[in-house]
Amino acid sequence: MSNYTALKICTLFFLFFSISLFAGDMQLQTPELGFTEDGSEGDYNVVVVMVNNLNQDRMECYGHNRVTTPNICDFMDENVKYTNAVSQSVWTIPSTVSFFLSQYPETHGVRSQREKISEKATTLTEVFSESGYSTAGFVGNRRCGGGHLKKRYGYDQGFDTYHQQGPWMNTSVPRAINWLDSKEEDDRYFMFVHGYDPHAPYGDATTDASFGENYTGTLRKYDIAWGSGDGEILDDLRYRNGKHYLELENQTVELGEEDLDYIRSMYDRDVSAADQQVGRLLDYLKKEGEMDETVVVVTSNHGEMLGEYGKGRMRWTHSFPYQGVINVPLGVHIPGQEPDTVRSPVELIDIFPTLLSTAELEMDTNQEVQGKILPPIGKKKEFGFTSGEIGGDVAVQRDNYSMIQTNHNLYRESKVFFRLGEGAEKPVRVNQSEVNRSNKFMDSVIEWRNRNRQISESDTQLNHTLQEYLRENCR
């Protein structure tokens, strides 16, 4: 490889991980020009809707052949829709912490149920609260198979009101609407609304939607849930030699397309349940005239694999950074902003600085903010980065590919490529020059990640270590 090529690769890598704030030197600055093209000023209310475990590929505005999300898709089509939004982790806790802090998991350090947001950290909610906004959160809470937005993880920092009751959005949305009705009319507010509707077990969210009602096959008597035994089958699904199986204690059942479609139909049913409630909230905001002075974000913290790719049970989980897991829906409404579709990579950590920009707020802290203001006003990114859960996996989306680096035996090769825009069905082969360029890039990512795990969890030290490493290795 020539020195010029190596320099170019390192430069791209540096641009991806470079942040707009160097700890101790700068604060987050609101752009001189407003976010909207018509020049309207900020000071907006903010509503963030996060549907847990919502797979982009199961929405008709992202190419699904079944109507599951008419309300969310209408919202996407009327505002700014992002086709390549990347979650920073494959599961709820680290991903949602990344959203609230605008930091990669390697920086904020919250990667398991044994960790929580540091009380020294400044969350997105706290910035709004300290700026005089009323703040309220209404989140789903599952007894098991979820419940990862509980107060004990620190998500309630900065919220005046933080409700956790019932797993689904048919609880969180009515509570949110009641709160909006009861607040002072002139209060500016930041509101976070969340629900677990599409999360396993599938088919249990409350809805009048009809999916899979004509199915009479083997799986009807089981719960489409994670677990082995007691009727829960997701952990018992296997894939080998081109076929899916249900491996129970006393028998192995081969599954056909009708069976697989039933599982996906139960997931789609829960997606539809969430969409109905999101539509209810959006209709309320429109009816009350709130959309003219409110920034609204609709997204998810991660998706789900539904049998498209992977070995064994990994086809039915969100433990690995396949496209179906890390590509999440994202739509943003900003008063005065024309509808648009952004196809370049963006990340969930970009929502934080975007919301501060639209509200014309600044952070009174030197905390590292790693996200960038979202296009179409903010500059396009070259890359999107995700941390896996098992085996130290990472995924980087760049150019037309999603590239996964694995440290386990799920693949024959340690680096796997998927072509963006073609779903999560199978990997593709790329030419050798692309492989060489990507290998160098990914090796740098892995080295940076490994070094971060061995040093102090101080945000400032992580930042300086990253910058020093890049300067040392990309000269």
Side-chain angles (χ1 to χ4, degrees), residues 127-142:
V127 178
F128 279 94
S129 178
E130 292 167 2
S131 301
Y133 281 61
S134 298
T135 55
F138 304 92
V139 305
N141 180 26
R142 300 190 73 102

Side-chain angles (χ1 to χ4, degrees), residues 50-53 92 139-142 145-150 166-169 172 194-201 204-205 270 274 301-302:
M50 181 175 286
V51 182
N52 208 94
N53 212 57
T92 298
V139 305
N141 180 26
R142 300 190 73 102
H148 291 149
L149 267 72
K150 292 180 179 178
W168 305 314
M169 302 199 78
S172 55
H194 164 273
Y196 277 103
D197 300 52
H199 197 285
D204 64 347
D270 291 350
N301 47 13
H302 62 79

Side-chain angles (χ1 to χ4, degrees), residues 165-182:
Q165 185 174 355
W168 305 314
M169 302 199 78
N170 68 348
T171 299
S172 55
V173 166
R175 284 184 175 273
I177 291 174
N178 289 339
W179 182 84
L180 289 170
D181 281 334
S182 63

Side-chain angles (χ1 to χ4, degrees), residues 38 55 142 155 271 315 337 361 364 366 390 392:
D38 68 355
N55 191 330
R142 300 190 73 102
Y155 295 111
V271 169
R315 284 183 172 247
Q337 178 67 48
L361 301 181
D364 187 22
N366 291 324
I390 297 174

